[in-house]
Amino acid sequence: MIVAVDGTSASGKGTLAAKLAQHFNLEPLDTGLLYRAVALSMITAGDNLEDEEKAANHAASIDYKSMDSPRLRNSDIGVASSKIAAMKAVRLTLLDFQQNFAKNPPNGRSGTILDGRDIATVVCPEADSKIFVTANIEIRAKRRWKQLIQSDEPAIYARVLEDLRERDTRDSTRQNAPLRKDSDAITIDTSHLDAEQTFEMARKYIASRDLNRQRS
């Protein structure tokens, strides 16, 4: 089983993917962390974030098992990764990794679940279930602001909101694999849903899709 979860930043897709992974015995991959890892690697090396060739080289050396640095969640890395994710060479370098991961579940899992921006449209168009998660931008900004405050990272709500607006624009207008809802995906608006309500909607959808798949 392959489940694709796409959506806007801070919409709750990461939390949803983690809960679904546990319920359905799926190996999760937060593909956004791949791009954040590239950004962090470049910043650590002191490389120019505008250098696409160097960015692709860093992408080729990323180790999935080592993507556990707390700094990957920092807002500055998020902003940098959004710019890097628009680079064609980087996306192509990471595409093979993501597709191989999706088709070969590690750790004896029953399948995989990937969340990101282009999973259903580019990475796994053959996914058994496709979910697009979104929410009102002001609500998303408030969620992200709370996350940053709780992690002791200085944050101003107005700046977080502006960063999200800019990221939404970059993600949806970039030439390479822009953020968009696949025609086969269901949309879950989490603006007024908690994590458990969101999970239950997605769980029922995936279960029904899996049942139909087994019957066919």
Side-chain angles (χ1 to χ4, degrees):
M1 179 194 295
I2 299 176
V3 178
V5 181
D6 292 306
T8 52
S9 182
S11 59
K13 64 183 181 300
T15 298
L16 174 61
K19 292 174 73 67
L20 291 172
Q22 182 175 17
H23 180 81
F24 288 104
N25 188 36
L26 307 175
E27 185 71 14
L29 176 62
D30 179 347
T31 63
L33 283 183
L34 294 172
Y35 296 96
R36 284 174 175 258
V38 174
L40 178 57
S41 179
M42 293 188 73
I43 291 173
T44 301
D47 288 335
N48 183 357
L49 292 174
E50 305 294 331
D51 191 324
E52 186 165 349
E53 182 178 354
K54 285 189 176 181
N57 290 336
H58 281 272
S61 64
I62 291 301
D63 181 5
Y64 166 66
K65 295 180 180 179
S66 66
M67 292 192 306
D68 56 359
S69 170
R71 194 181 170 192
L72 291 178
R73 301 290 183 180
N74 289 2
S75 58
D76 62 324
I77 301 300
V79 172
S81 69
S82 182
K83 296 176 181 178
I84 289 172
M87 297 177 178
K88 183 177 181 179
V90 174
R91 301 201 72 84
L92 289 175
T93 300
L94 295 177
L95 179 60
D96 286 343
F97 172 86
Q98 294 172 77
Q99 292 180 332
N100 183 64
F101 177 94
K103 296 174 182 178
N104 299 281
N107 303 318
R109 302 290 189 179
S110 302
T112 53
I113 180 167
L114 292 77
D115 74 272
R117 300 290 191 281
D118 63 342
I119 310 304
T121 56
V122 177
V123 179
C124 299
E126 78 289 357
D128 301 293
S129 298
K130 302 176 181 180
I131 303 170
F132 189 87
V133 186
T134 189
N136 176 278
I137 192 168
E138 284 81 10
I139 292 176
R140 290 192 283 129
K142 187 174 182 179
R143 291 173 180 169
R144 176 58 54 79
W145 175 75
K146 286 183 176 180
Q147 289 176 344
L148 294 172
I149 294 298
Q150 291 171 355
S151 62
D152 295 324
E153 186 173 349
I156 299 174
Y157 171 79
R159 184 59 216 168
V160 173
L161 176 61
E162 184 59 27
D163 285 344
L164 279 181
R165 290 191 193 280
E166 293 175 357
R167 179 155 194 178
D168 283 354
T169 298
R170 284 196 301 270
D171 288 346
S172 60
T173 61
R174 67 191 182 206
Q175 288 187 328
N176 302 306
L179 168 67
R180 64 181 177 84
K181 175 180 176 289
D182 187 82
S183 59
D184 292 334
I186 65 161
T187 297
I188 299 181
D189 188 327
T190 67
S191 297
H192 304 292
L193 299 176
D194 61 26
E196 197 59 36
Q197 291 171 319
T198 303
F199 164 73
E200 190 59 22
M201 289 182 65
R203 183 197 65 77
K204 290 180 179 178
Y205 163 70
I206 294 173
S208 65
R209 294 279 295 181
D210 190 42
L211 181 61
N212 290 336
R213 182 168 60 90
Q214 293 178 22
R215 288 174 174 173
S216 60

